[in-house]
Amino acid sequence: MNFEFSDEMIMLGEQAERLFAARDARKTARAVLDGATHRYDAALWREMASLGWMGVAIPEAYGGAGLGAQALCIIAEQIGRSLAAIPYATTLYLAAEAILLAGTEDQKQALLPAIAAGERIMSFVDATTGARPGQVGRDGTIHADALLAPEGEIAGSLVLAALDADGEIGLFLVDLSQAGVKRAPITTIDPTRNHGLLTLSHVAAERLGSGAITRATLDRLIANAMIPLAFEQVGGATACLTMARDYALERHAFGRPIGSFQAIKHKLARMFVANELARSNAYYGAWALSTNAPDLAEAAAIARLTAIDAYHFAARECLEVFGGLGFTWEADCHLYIRRAKLLASAFGGTVKWSETLMAQIEPRYR
């Protein structure tokens, strides 16, 4: 069993790394954080679209390149490493996959080519749980308050997991340009990833496909998205380790680089170990996703959990290696801490994914 990516995938990753470095994606992310008017890096988004990176996992029949899940993961790692402020995750890991999973042929033909061309930014919300789950009426409209939506301010459409009039789970497409849609900005710990608060006042919701889906199907859709998200986290953790290592070699104290002190060496070594564990699990997850392996749900949960831990740890330790400088606005350490915390809470945090993992493992020991 070989989890390594092919030479073609490695070349794609190297190309992505060069592009994000050349466009200084981290600088644009900082500009968003500083209150610039743009809410995402539109120029980078268009350039990625021109290179075909929006459609790497979308089949060729729908305007994509059909390179599969591994291509999505290898680009995701570089997005995380560069802190690119783009709506890639929700649009491609979730919304596009939901359309592929449940959409009719006509819906796929109508929606996926626009996503692959970078012309359509999508949001995804699971409103099936909570005290007041979202429900689409028999007239095909929905009324919902205060939906916290990733890319909620900039998305043109929303894929909404909600209950139908019979109480069954369905995936619905909501055009966010309708008159009954109100958007409100919401500030999260990481403004470089756009979020908005949506209010839907009896707006039309078109069902994806012709019938309901099961809870297991929805859970699997979301779990699958956690694998490229884990690659983003691994990319961020890798960037933190690189920053800390470079600073430890550059900064001198008592006439020596601080990296020569045992305390700093141990920090860097522990970061490396955590990152490699997370990377190994992410690679296994990518393999499981691309082969639809029987233990895919377990692989996704493990990749998600170890990536959360590695990114948190690396971001925190990086700040400590930088010392007092790391706490300043000018240093980039806080950018990675913000992203690590935001990604850790997206679509359920450690508790949710620990429970998911236990649910997969427990039956073996009964």
Side-chain angles (χ1 to χ4, degrees):
M1 193 178 295
N2 182 10
F3 307 141
E4 283 290 332
F5 288 169
S6 67
D7 290 343
E8 184 183 20
M9 292 297 110
I10 293 171
M11 288 174 61
L12 178 61
E14 291 172 347
Q15 185 185 13
E17 182 180 7
R18 287 194 298 271
L19 175 70
F20 294 141
R23 301 297 176 267
D24 203 350
R26 193 187 304 176
K27 182 178 179 181
T28 307
R30 179 178 281 278
V32 174
L33 190 63
D34 283 339
T37 53
H38 50 279
R39 291 166 291 187
Y40 72 106
D41 194 338
L44 181 60
W45 181 258
R46 288 192 296 270
E47 190 162 6
M48 290 174 66
S50 70
L51 292 168
W53 293 355
M54 305 304 172
V56 288
I58 294 176
E60 293 181 71
Y62 307 117
L67 296 178
Q70 289 189 347
L72 200 63
C73 291
I74 203 81
I75 292 175
E77 181 176 358
Q78 297 307 325
I79 290 173
R81 191 168 186 164
S82 65
L83 288 176
I86 51 174
Y88 200 76
T90 312
T91 301
L92 295 173
Y93 310 164
L94 283 158
E97 293 299 317
I99 295 166
L100 279 169
L101 172 72
T104 64
E105 183 62 23
D106 287 345
Q107 288 171 331
K108 293 175 184 176
Q109 292 289 354
L111 298 169
L112 293 174
I115 293 175
E119 297 168 352
R120 186 183 285 262
I121 295 172
M122 306 283 293
S123 182
F124 180 94
V125 173
D126 177 8
T128 60
T129 58
R132 295 176 58 191
Q135 188 160 26
V136 177
R138 296 195 184 282
D139 61 352
T141 66
I142 183 169
H143 179 88
D145 293 322
L147 291 176
L148 177 59
E151 327 304 347
E153 281 191 289
I154 59 177
S157 304
L158 163 70
V159 172
L160 180 67
L163 304 181
D164 62 18
D166 297 321
E168 302 289 336
I169 296 174
L171 292 170
F172 299 89
L173 181 69
V174 178
D175 181 355
L176 295 179
S177 65
Q178 296 181 72
V181 176
K182 290 184 179 178
R183 311 182 196 224
I186 187 166
T187 303
T188 67
I189 191 171
D190 182 13
T192 66
R193 279 291 167 86
N194 183 264
H195 283 72
L197 213 53
L198 300 179
T199 298
L200 310 179
S201 300
H202 304 290
V203 301
E206 176 189 354
R207 184 191 289 272
L208 288 175
S210 56
I213 63 171
T214 65
R215 168 62 63 185
T217 301
L218 177 59
D219 288 346
R220 189 178 179 93
L221 171 69
I222 295 173
N224 290 355
M226 295 304 104
I227 294 172
L229 199 64
F231 272 85
E232 282 200 32
Q233 293 168 300
V234 168
T238 303
C240 291
L241 174 57
T242 303
M243 286 169 52
R245 179 205 62 192
D246 292 348
Y247 186 74
L249 293 173
E250 172 191 326
R251 177 81 167 93
H252 282 62
F254 306 108
R256 301 163 54 188
I258 63 171
S260 65
F261 295 112
Q262 191 175 50
I264 301 297
K265 288 180 181 177
H266 284 186
K267 282 183 180 296
L268 298 176
R270 286 195 295 268
M271 291 164 70
F272 178 79
V273 171
N275 287 3
E276 289 306 298
L277 176 62
R279 183 184 302 280
S280 299
N281 289 325
Y283 268 65
Y284 183 78
W287 172 84
L289 185 58
S290 61
T291 59
N292 198 26
D295 61 346
L296 175 55
E298 182 179 333
I302 293 173
R304 173 74 169 143
L305 287 167
T306 52
I308 288 173
D309 286 346
Y311 201 179
H312 262 156
F313 183 70
R316 189 175 65 247
E317 291 293 272
C318 177
L319 184 143
E320 292 193 7
V321 169
F322 271 72
L325 178 63
F327 288 85
T328 63
W329 185 260
E330 288 72 21
D332 287 337
C333 302
H334 67 98
L335 301 180
Y336 285 95
I337 289 177
R338 290 170 185 274
R339 183 65 64 87
K341 287 183 176 295
L342 182 78
L343 294 186
S345 62
F347 299 100
T350 302
V351 172
K352 170 184 166 57
W353 293 103
S354 296
E355 291 174 350
T356 300
L357 179 59
M358 289 303 298
Q360 298 295 319
I361 294 174
E362 189 181 21
R364 299 179 199 161
Y365 300 98
R366 286 178 180 168

